[in-house]
Amino acid sequence: MIRVLSRKVFRTNHLQIGEGNISGYIACFLAILSCLGVLAFHFPEYLTTPELRKSYSVDFLRQLMFVSLLVSGSLGLLNFVRNTNKRLGATAWFFILLAIMFGGPNVEVNEFASDTPYIGLDWFILDLLGSTLIFIVIEKLLPHRKEQKILRSEWRGDLNHFFVNHLIIGFVLLVTNHFVHYGFGWAVSSTVQGYIEQTPFIVQLFLIILVADLMQYWVHRAYHEVPLLWRFHGVHHSAKEMDWLAGSRQHILEILVTRSLVLTPIFVLGFSQQIISLYVIIVGLQAVFNHANVRVKFGWLKYFMVTPQFHHWHHASDKAAIDRNYAAHFSFLDYAFGTAVKGQKEWPQAYGVVGDYMPVGMLKQQVYPFKRTK
Protein backbone atom coordinates (compact mmCIF):
# COMPACT_ATOMS: atom_id res chain seq x y z
CA MET A 1 0.00 0.00 0.00
CA ILE A 2 2.75 2.46 0.93
CA ARG A 3 4.58 1.74 -2.33
CA VAL A 4 1.47 2.45 -4.44
CA LEU A 5 0.60 5.62 -2.53
CA SER A 6 4.12 6.97 -2.75
CA ARG A 7 4.03 6.63 -6.55
CA LYS A 8 0.60 8.17 -7.09
CA VAL A 9 0.53 10.86 -4.43
CA PHE A 10 4.06 11.74 -3.34
CA ARG A 11 5.52 12.49 -6.75
CA THR A 12 7.20 15.75 -5.82
CA ASN A 13 10.08 16.49 -3.49
CA HIS A 14 9.33 20.22 -3.75
CA LEU A 15 8.50 21.45 -0.25
CA GLN A 16 8.31 25.22 0.07
CA ILE A 17 6.43 27.09 2.80
CA GLY A 18 3.34 28.82 1.42
CA GLU A 19 2.77 26.52 -1.57
CA GLY A 20 0.49 24.05 0.20
CA ASN A 21 2.56 20.90 -0.31
CA ILE A 22 3.75 20.70 3.30
CA SER A 23 0.20 20.89 4.69
CA GLY A 24 -0.87 18.31 2.11
CA TYR A 25 1.84 15.85 3.09
CA ILE A 26 1.03 16.23 6.79
CA ALA A 27 -2.69 15.76 6.08
CA CYS A 28 -2.06 12.57 4.08
CA PHE A 29 0.37 11.25 6.66
CA LEU A 30 -2.04 11.67 9.59
CA ALA A 31 -5.05 10.42 7.61
CA ILE A 32 -3.31 7.23 6.49
CA LEU A 33 -2.00 6.49 10.00
CA SER A 34 -5.50 7.09 11.43
CA CYS A 35 -6.97 4.71 8.87
CA LEU A 36 -4.42 2.06 9.82
CA GLY A 37 -5.23 2.72 13.49
CA VAL A 38 -8.93 2.01 12.85
CA LEU A 39 -7.92 -1.26 11.20
CA ALA A 40 -5.87 -2.17 14.29
CA PHE A 41 -8.87 -1.40 16.53
CA HIS A 42 -11.00 -3.84 14.51
CA PHE A 43 -8.44 -6.68 14.59
CA PRO A 44 -6.26 -6.12 17.69
CA GLU A 45 -5.45 -9.79 18.15
CA TYR A 46 -3.78 -9.95 14.73
CA LEU A 47 -2.52 -6.39 14.17
CA THR A 48 -1.15 -5.32 17.56
CA THR A 49 1.95 -6.30 19.52
CA PRO A 50 1.27 -8.06 22.86
CA GLU A 51 4.26 -6.44 24.59
CA LEU A 52 3.21 -3.00 23.38
CA ARG A 53 -0.46 -3.38 24.36
CA LYS A 54 0.58 -3.34 28.02
CA SER A 55 2.28 0.05 27.64
CA TYR A 56 -0.40 2.25 26.11
CA SER A 57 -3.93 3.37 26.93
CA VAL A 58 -6.67 2.70 24.39
CA ASP A 59 -8.51 5.84 25.55
CA PHE A 60 -5.40 7.93 24.88
CA LEU A 61 -5.07 6.40 21.41
CA ARG A 62 -8.71 7.27 20.70
CA GLN A 63 -8.06 10.90 21.64
CA LEU A 64 -4.86 10.91 19.56
CA MET A 65 -6.74 9.55 16.55
CA PHE A 66 -9.52 12.13 16.95
CA VAL A 67 -6.98 14.98 17.03
CA SER A 68 -5.10 13.48 14.06
CA LEU A 69 -8.29 13.27 11.99
CA LEU A 70 -9.22 16.82 12.94
CA VAL A 71 -5.78 18.21 12.02
CA SER A 72 -5.65 16.11 8.86
CA GLY A 73 -9.08 17.27 7.75
CA SER A 74 -8.24 20.93 8.35
CA LEU A 75 -4.91 20.77 6.53
CA GLY A 76 -6.40 18.67 3.72
CA LEU A 77 -9.12 21.27 3.20
CA LEU A 78 -6.52 24.05 3.27
CA ASN A 79 -4.44 22.20 0.68
CA PHE A 80 -7.48 21.56 -1.49
CA VAL A 81 -8.49 25.24 -1.43
CA ARG A 82 -5.05 26.87 -1.84
CA ASN A 83 -3.02 24.43 -3.93
CA THR A 84 -3.50 24.12 -7.68
CA ASN A 85 -2.51 20.44 -7.38
CA LYS A 86 -5.35 19.10 -5.26
CA ARG A 87 -4.17 15.48 -5.21
CA LEU A 88 -2.77 15.63 -1.67
CA GLY A 89 -5.88 17.22 -0.14
CA ALA A 90 -8.20 14.82 -1.97
CA THR A 91 -6.13 11.81 -0.89
CA ALA A 92 -6.16 12.96 2.74
CA TRP A 93 -9.94 13.32 2.72
CA PHE A 94 -10.36 9.93 1.06
CA PHE A 95 -8.60 8.25 3.98
CA ILE A 96 -10.37 10.44 6.54
CA LEU A 97 -13.77 9.39 5.18
CA LEU A 98 -12.60 5.78 5.00
CA ALA A 99 -11.51 5.89 8.67
CA ILE A 100 -14.83 7.47 9.75
CA MET A 101 -16.84 5.02 7.66
CA PHE A 102 -15.27 2.11 9.56
CA GLY A 103 -15.86 3.63 13.00
CA GLY A 104 -13.01 6.10 13.51
CA PRO A 105 -11.85 6.47 17.11
CA ASN A 106 -15.14 5.02 18.40
CA VAL A 107 -14.51 1.42 17.36
CA GLU A 108 -15.24 -0.90 20.26
CA VAL A 109 -12.34 -3.13 21.32
CA ASN A 110 -13.76 -6.30 22.83
CA GLU A 111 -11.99 -9.09 24.67
CA PHE A 112 -9.71 -11.09 22.41
CA ALA A 113 -7.20 -13.93 22.52
CA SER A 114 -3.62 -12.85 23.24
CA ASP A 115 -1.85 -15.91 21.80
CA THR A 116 -2.69 -15.47 18.12
CA PRO A 117 -0.10 -14.86 15.37
CA TYR A 118 0.27 -11.12 14.86
CA ILE A 119 1.98 -8.37 12.90
CA GLY A 120 3.13 -5.13 14.52
CA LEU A 121 0.86 -2.58 12.83
CA ASP A 122 0.45 -0.64 16.10
CA TRP A 123 4.24 -0.55 16.55
CA PHE A 124 4.62 0.79 13.00
CA ILE A 125 2.01 3.53 13.53
CA LEU A 126 3.32 4.76 16.88
CA ASP A 127 6.99 4.55 15.92
CA LEU A 128 6.50 6.32 12.59
CA LEU A 129 4.43 9.06 14.23
CA GLY A 130 6.93 9.56 17.05
CA SER A 131 9.99 9.37 14.82
CA THR A 132 8.72 11.88 12.31
CA LEU A 133 7.58 14.34 14.98
CA ILE A 134 10.92 14.16 16.79
CA PHE A 135 13.63 13.54 14.23
CA ILE A 136 12.38 15.58 11.27
CA VAL A 137 12.20 18.59 13.60
CA ILE A 138 15.73 17.91 14.89
CA GLU A 139 17.05 17.49 11.35
CA LYS A 140 15.57 20.83 10.30
CA LEU A 141 16.82 22.66 13.41
CA LEU A 142 20.33 21.14 13.49
CA PRO A 143 21.04 19.87 9.98
CA HIS A 144 24.36 18.42 8.87
CA ARG A 145 23.54 18.89 5.20
CA LYS A 146 21.19 21.86 4.97
CA GLU A 147 20.48 21.28 1.28
CA GLN A 148 19.18 17.73 1.86
CA LYS A 149 15.42 17.43 1.38
CA ILE A 150 13.06 15.75 3.83
CA LEU A 151 11.87 13.56 0.97
CA ARG A 152 15.37 12.86 -0.32
CA SER A 153 16.13 10.35 -3.04
CA GLU A 154 15.13 6.72 -2.35
CA TRP A 155 12.98 7.67 0.67
CA ARG A 156 10.11 5.52 -0.64
CA GLY A 157 12.20 2.35 -0.52
CA ASP A 158 13.41 3.12 3.00
CA LEU A 159 9.85 3.79 4.16
CA ASN A 160 8.92 0.36 2.78
CA HIS A 161 11.82 -1.14 4.76
CA PHE A 162 10.52 0.68 7.86
CA PHE A 163 7.01 -0.65 7.23
CA VAL A 164 8.05 -4.28 6.69
CA ASN A 165 10.55 -4.32 9.58
CA HIS A 166 7.78 -3.28 11.97
CA LEU A 167 5.15 -5.65 10.60
CA ILE A 168 7.40 -8.69 11.01
CA ILE A 169 8.25 -7.89 14.64
CA GLY A 170 6.16 -10.84 15.84
CA PHE A 171 8.01 -13.26 13.59
CA VAL A 172 11.38 -11.78 14.58
CA LEU A 173 10.62 -12.12 18.30
CA LEU A 174 9.42 -15.70 17.80
CA VAL A 175 12.58 -16.73 15.94
CA THR A 176 14.96 -14.96 18.34
CA ASN A 177 13.23 -16.36 21.42
CA HIS A 178 13.47 -19.90 20.08
CA PHE A 179 17.11 -19.42 19.09
CA VAL A 180 18.13 -17.96 22.44
CA HIS A 181 16.16 -20.22 24.79
CA TYR A 182 16.57 -23.53 22.99
CA GLY A 183 20.09 -22.90 21.72
CA PHE A 184 21.66 -21.42 24.86
CA GLY A 185 19.45 -22.50 27.76
CA TRP A 186 22.27 -24.78 28.84
CA ALA A 187 24.54 -21.77 29.49
CA VAL A 188 22.25 -20.16 32.08
CA SER A 189 23.76 -20.03 35.58
CA SER A 190 21.59 -19.12 38.55
CA THR A 191 24.73 -17.95 40.40
CA VAL A 192 25.69 -15.49 37.66
CA GLN A 193 22.10 -14.31 37.25
CA GLY A 194 21.78 -13.81 41.01
CA TYR A 195 24.91 -11.66 40.99
CA ILE A 196 23.54 -9.55 38.11
CA GLU A 197 20.22 -9.17 39.93
CA GLN A 198 21.95 -7.74 43.02
CA THR A 199 23.90 -5.20 40.99
CA PRO A 200 22.72 -1.56 41.27
CA PHE A 201 20.29 -0.41 38.58
CA ILE A 202 22.65 2.04 36.86
CA VAL A 203 25.44 -0.58 36.77
CA GLN A 204 23.05 -3.12 35.26
CA LEU A 205 22.06 -0.61 32.59
CA PHE A 206 25.70 0.06 31.71
CA LEU A 207 26.46 -3.68 31.66
CA ILE A 208 23.57 -4.63 29.40
CA ILE A 209 24.52 -1.94 26.86
CA LEU A 210 28.21 -2.94 27.04
CA VAL A 211 27.52 -6.67 26.70
CA ALA A 212 25.12 -6.09 23.80
CA ASP A 213 27.55 -3.74 22.08
CA LEU A 214 30.45 -6.18 22.41
CA MET A 215 28.37 -8.84 20.67
CA GLN A 216 27.09 -6.30 18.15
CA TYR A 217 30.66 -5.16 17.42
CA TRP A 218 31.95 -8.62 16.48
CA VAL A 219 28.81 -9.60 14.56
CA HIS A 220 28.93 -6.28 12.72
CA ARG A 221 32.62 -6.73 11.97
CA ALA A 222 31.93 -10.20 10.57
CA TYR A 223 29.33 -8.72 8.21
CA HIS A 224 32.06 -6.50 6.78
CA GLU A 225 34.92 -8.98 6.65
CA VAL A 226 33.11 -12.12 5.43
CA PRO A 227 32.13 -11.64 1.74
CA LEU A 228 28.98 -13.80 1.97
CA LEU A 229 27.70 -11.83 4.98
CA TRP A 230 28.56 -8.52 3.33
CA ARG A 231 26.10 -9.28 0.54
CA PHE A 232 23.34 -8.97 3.15
CA HIS A 233 24.84 -6.10 5.13
CA GLY A 234 25.61 -4.14 1.97
CA VAL A 235 21.88 -3.42 1.73
CA HIS A 236 22.14 -1.29 4.86
CA HIS A 237 25.17 0.56 3.51
CA SER A 238 23.67 1.36 0.12
CA ALA A 239 21.94 4.57 1.28
CA LYS A 240 23.64 7.53 -0.41
CA GLU A 241 22.00 10.10 1.87
CA MET A 242 21.76 9.80 5.65
CA ASP A 243 18.71 10.66 7.71
CA TRP A 244 16.51 9.17 10.46
CA LEU A 245 14.86 6.82 7.95
CA ALA A 246 18.07 5.50 6.35
CA GLY A 247 18.81 3.18 9.28
CA SER A 248 15.66 1.18 8.46
CA ARG A 249 17.25 -0.10 5.25
CA GLN A 250 18.18 -3.62 6.35
CA HIS A 251 17.89 -7.13 5.01
CA ILE A 252 15.36 -9.24 6.91
CA LEU A 253 17.84 -12.11 7.46
CA GLU A 254 20.38 -9.68 8.91
CA ILE A 255 17.75 -8.44 11.38
CA LEU A 256 16.97 -12.00 12.48
CA VAL A 257 20.61 -13.05 12.90
CA THR A 258 21.82 -9.88 14.61
CA ARG A 259 18.97 -9.66 17.11
CA SER A 260 19.26 -13.34 17.97
CA LEU A 261 22.99 -13.11 18.64
CA VAL A 262 22.80 -9.81 20.56
CA LEU A 263 19.99 -11.10 22.80
CA THR A 264 21.87 -14.31 23.63
CA PRO A 265 24.29 -12.88 26.27
CA ILE A 266 21.49 -10.70 27.65
CA PHE A 267 19.37 -13.80 28.21
CA VAL A 268 22.21 -15.90 29.62
CA LEU A 269 23.23 -13.20 32.13
CA GLY A 270 19.64 -12.83 33.32
CA PHE A 271 18.98 -9.10 33.16
CA SER A 272 15.55 -8.08 34.47
CA GLN A 273 12.69 -7.28 32.09
CA GLN A 274 12.77 -3.66 33.28
CA ILE A 275 16.43 -3.31 32.29
CA ILE A 276 15.83 -5.06 28.95
CA SER A 277 12.88 -2.78 28.17
CA LEU A 278 14.98 0.30 28.91
CA TYR A 279 17.81 -1.06 26.77
CA VAL A 280 15.39 -1.59 23.85
CA ILE A 281 14.27 2.05 24.10
CA ILE A 282 17.88 3.30 24.22
CA VAL A 283 19.04 1.17 21.28
CA GLY A 284 16.04 2.27 19.22
CA LEU A 285 16.55 5.98 19.85
CA GLN A 286 20.33 5.85 19.41
CA ALA A 287 20.08 3.88 16.17
CA VAL A 288 17.73 6.41 14.61
CA PHE A 289 19.63 9.44 15.95
CA ASN A 290 23.02 8.20 14.76
CA HIS A 291 21.76 7.85 11.18
CA ALA A 292 20.01 11.23 11.24
CA ASN A 293 21.04 14.24 9.20
CA VAL A 294 22.09 16.21 12.29
CA ARG A 295 25.22 18.11 13.30
CA VAL A 296 25.65 18.10 17.09
CA LYS A 297 28.90 18.71 18.97
CA PHE A 298 29.63 16.12 21.68
CA GLY A 299 33.18 17.19 22.59
CA TRP A 300 35.20 14.51 24.37
CA LEU A 301 32.12 12.27 24.65
CA LYS A 302 32.64 11.24 21.02
CA TYR A 303 35.53 9.06 22.25
CA PHE A 304 33.18 7.28 24.66
CA MET A 305 29.79 6.98 22.94
CA VAL A 306 28.70 6.58 19.34
CA THR A 307 27.47 9.86 17.86
CA PRO A 308 25.96 10.76 14.46
CA GLN A 309 29.36 11.99 13.30
CA PHE A 310 31.03 8.72 14.37
CA HIS A 311 28.39 6.54 12.68
CA HIS A 312 28.20 8.65 9.54
CA TRP A 313 31.87 7.78 9.00
CA HIS A 314 30.90 4.11 9.18
CA HIS A 315 28.52 4.69 6.25
CA ALA A 316 30.99 6.77 4.25
CA SER A 317 32.36 5.58 0.92
CA ASP A 318 35.63 7.44 1.56
CA LYS A 319 38.61 5.06 1.42
CA ALA A 320 39.66 5.85 5.01
CA ALA A 321 36.22 4.83 6.32
CA ILE A 322 35.90 1.36 4.79
CA ASP A 323 35.41 -1.30 7.49
CA ARG A 324 35.67 1.15 10.40
CA ASN A 325 33.55 2.38 13.34
CA TYR A 326 31.59 -0.82 14.06
CA ALA A 327 30.26 -0.03 17.55
CA ALA A 328 26.58 0.80 18.01
CA HIS A 329 26.74 2.40 21.48
CA PHE A 330 30.28 2.80 22.84
CA SER A 331 32.83 4.25 20.44
CA PHE A 332 35.70 3.35 22.80
CA LEU A 333 35.33 -0.26 21.59
CA ASP A 334 36.54 0.75 18.14
CA TYR A 335 39.44 2.72 19.63
CA ALA A 336 40.32 -0.28 21.81
CA PHE A 337 40.21 -2.76 18.90
CA GLY A 338 41.94 -0.43 16.43
CA THR A 339 39.00 0.01 14.04
CA ALA A 340 38.14 3.68 14.64
CA VAL A 341 38.44 6.23 11.85
CA LYS A 342 41.25 8.61 12.74
CA GLY A 343 42.76 11.81 11.40
CA GLN A 344 39.98 12.61 8.95
CA LYS A 345 37.81 15.67 8.39
CA GLU A 346 34.89 16.24 10.71
CA TRP A 347 32.40 14.69 8.28
CA PRO A 348 32.71 12.36 5.27
CA GLN A 349 32.17 13.56 1.71
CA ALA A 350 29.97 10.76 0.37
CA TYR A 351 27.94 7.76 1.55
CA GLY A 352 26.95 4.40 0.10
CA VAL A 353 28.65 1.25 -1.15
CA VAL A 354 31.74 1.67 -3.31
CA GLY A 355 30.68 1.17 -6.91
CA ASP A 356 27.02 1.97 -6.18
CA TYR A 357 25.95 -1.50 -7.35
CA MET A 358 22.96 -2.05 -5.05
CA PRO A 359 19.57 -1.97 -6.82
CA VAL A 360 17.01 0.64 -5.77
CA GLY A 361 13.84 -0.47 -3.97
CA MET A 362 13.07 -2.61 -0.95
CA LEU A 363 12.07 -5.80 -2.78
CA LYS A 364 15.08 -5.74 -5.12
CA GLN A 365 17.39 -5.16 -2.15
CA GLN A 366 15.90 -8.14 -0.30
CA VAL A 367 16.50 -10.36 -3.32
CA TYR A 368 19.97 -9.04 -4.20
CA PRO A 369 22.07 -11.17 -1.75
CA PHE A 370 20.74 -14.37 -3.34
CA LYS A 371 21.67 -13.42 -6.90
CA ARG A 372 24.72 -14.93 -8.50
CA THR A 373 27.69 -12.65 -8.93
CA LYS A 374 29.08 -12.26 -12.43
Side-chain angles (χ1 to χ4, degrees):
M1 182 179 73
I2 289 179
R3 186 177 182 180
V4 174
L5 287 171
S6 65
R7 285 181 176 178
K8 292 184 177 180
V9 180
F10 305 135
R11 290 182 179 176
T12 176
N13 285 341
H14 188 54
L15 295 177
Q16 295 292 332
I17 295 175
E19 295 186 356
N21 285 328
I22 295 177
S23 61
Y25 276 113
I26 296 174
C28 286
F29 175 73
L30 293 177
I32 293 171
L33 289 189
S34 296
C35 202
L36 292 176
V38 172
L39 194 63
F41 275 161
H42 277 289
F43 306 101
E45 65 271 38
Y46 302 112
L47 300 180
T48 63
T49 311
E51 292 79 7
L52 197 56
R53 292 179 206 143
K54 305 171 185 176
S55 305
Y56 55 65
S57 164
V58 174
D59 289 335
F60 172 75
L61 293 182
R62 293 186 192 281
Q63 295 172 11
L64 182 63
M65 185 184 296
F66 175 78
V67 172
S68 297
L69 287 170
L70 186 63
V71 172
S72 176
S74 302
L75 292 178
L77 184 61
L78 178 66
N79 173 268
F80 197 80
V81 171
R82 295 189 58 186
N83 201 346
T84 54
N85 183 355
K86 304 184 186 302
R87 185 184 293 113
L88 292 172
T91 301
W93 268 98
F94 170 79
F95 282 100
I96 290 170
L97 294 175
L98 195 63
I100 294 174
M101 185 188 307
F102 286 97
N106 298 316
V107 175
E108 289 293 331
V109 180
N110 300 315
E111 294 293 326
F112 56 88
S114 60
D115 57 350
T116 57
Y118 66 92
I119 57 177
L121 185 61
D122 58 339
W123 177 228
F124 165 76
I125 295 170
L126 294 174
D127 195 18
L128 183 60
L129 182 61
S131 295
T132 51
L133 288 176
I134 295 171
F135 290 103
I136 288 181
V137 172
I138 294 176
E139 288 185 342
K140 299 312 290 183
L141 291 176
L142 302 167
H144 162 45
R145 291 185 171 182
K146 296 181 180 180
E147 73 281 2
Q148 184 169 304
K149 300 174 182 177
I150 294 176
L151 301 181
R152 41 84 180 168
S153 63
E154 300 184 20
W155 71 270
R156 297 175 181 86
D158 290 342
L159 183 59
N160 287 328
H161 276 287
F162 186 94
F163 182 64
V164 172
N165 292 350
H166 283 70
L167 290 191
I168 64 169
I169 186 172
F171 176 69
V172 172
L173 289 175
L174 180 65
V175 172
T176 54
N177 282 336
H178 275 74
F179 174 82
V180 172
H181 287 84
Y182 292 105
F184 292 88
W186 57 269
V188 173
S189 168
S190 57
T191 302
V192 173
Q193 292 191 347
Y195 179 77
I196 293 292
E197 186 178 353
Q198 295 173 9
T199 305
F201 181 87
I202 191 66
V203 177
Q204 279 196 55
L205 183 60
F206 173 77
L207 283 176
I208 193 173
I209 298 175
L210 178 61
V211 166
D213 208 15
L214 277 168
M215 178 61 78
Q216 174 96 15
Y217 174 91
W218 289 109
V219 172
H220 194 175
R221 189 165 176 173
Y223 276 122
H224 279 255
E225 297 181 0
V226 178
L228 176 62
L229 298 181
W230 170 252
R231 292 181 62 80
F232 293 90
H233 189 57
V235 171
H236 181 62
H237 276 264
S238 63
K240 295 182 285 293
E241 293 178 283
M242 296 289 285
D243 67 0
W244 68 274
L245 191 57
S248 299
R249 186 183 299 197
Q250 288 182 281
H251 198 277
I252 292 174
L253 288 183
E254 181 185 349
I255 294 174
L256 286 170
V257 171
T258 302
R259 291 189 182 179
S260 296
L261 293 175
V262 169
L263 284 175
T264 296
I266 291 176
F267 162 71
V268 170
L269 292 174
F271 289 98
S272 68
Q273 187 57 51
Q274 183 183 14
I275 292 291
I276 294 176
S277 298
L278 186 54
Y279 161 74
V280 170
I281 293 173
I282 291 173
V283 70
L285 289 174
Q286 193 172 9
V288 177
F289 181 62
N290 287 337
H291 288 90
N293 178 36
V294 295
R295 180 184 291 266
V296 183
K297 297 286 187 179
F298 283 89
W300 62 269
L301 280 175
K302 66 182 180 181
Y303 298 108
F304 179 77
M305 59 180 283
V306 174
T307 64
Q309 183 186 46
F310 184 91
H311 195 67
H312 275 226
W313 270 107
H314 176 70
H315 280 266
S317 56
D318 304 44
K319 184 177 180 180
I322 304 301
D323 299 338
R324 292 289 184 269
N325 291 13
Y326 295 119
H329 304 290
F330 293 125
S331 57
F332 66 76
L333 294 178
D334 278 288
Y335 288 102
F337 295 127
T339 52
V341 173
K342 298 178 182 178
Q344 301 302 312
K345 299 177 182 178
E346 282 199 2
W347 294 86
Q349 294 297 313
Y351 304 101
V353 292
V354 177
D356 193 22
Y357 54 82
M358 190 66 63
V360 175
M362 190 270 291
L363 290 177
K364 291 181 180 179
Q365 288 165 358
Q366 294 295 322
V367 172
Y368 171 79
F370 302 103
K371 290 186 175 181
R372 291 182 179 181
T373 55
K374 296 180 180 180

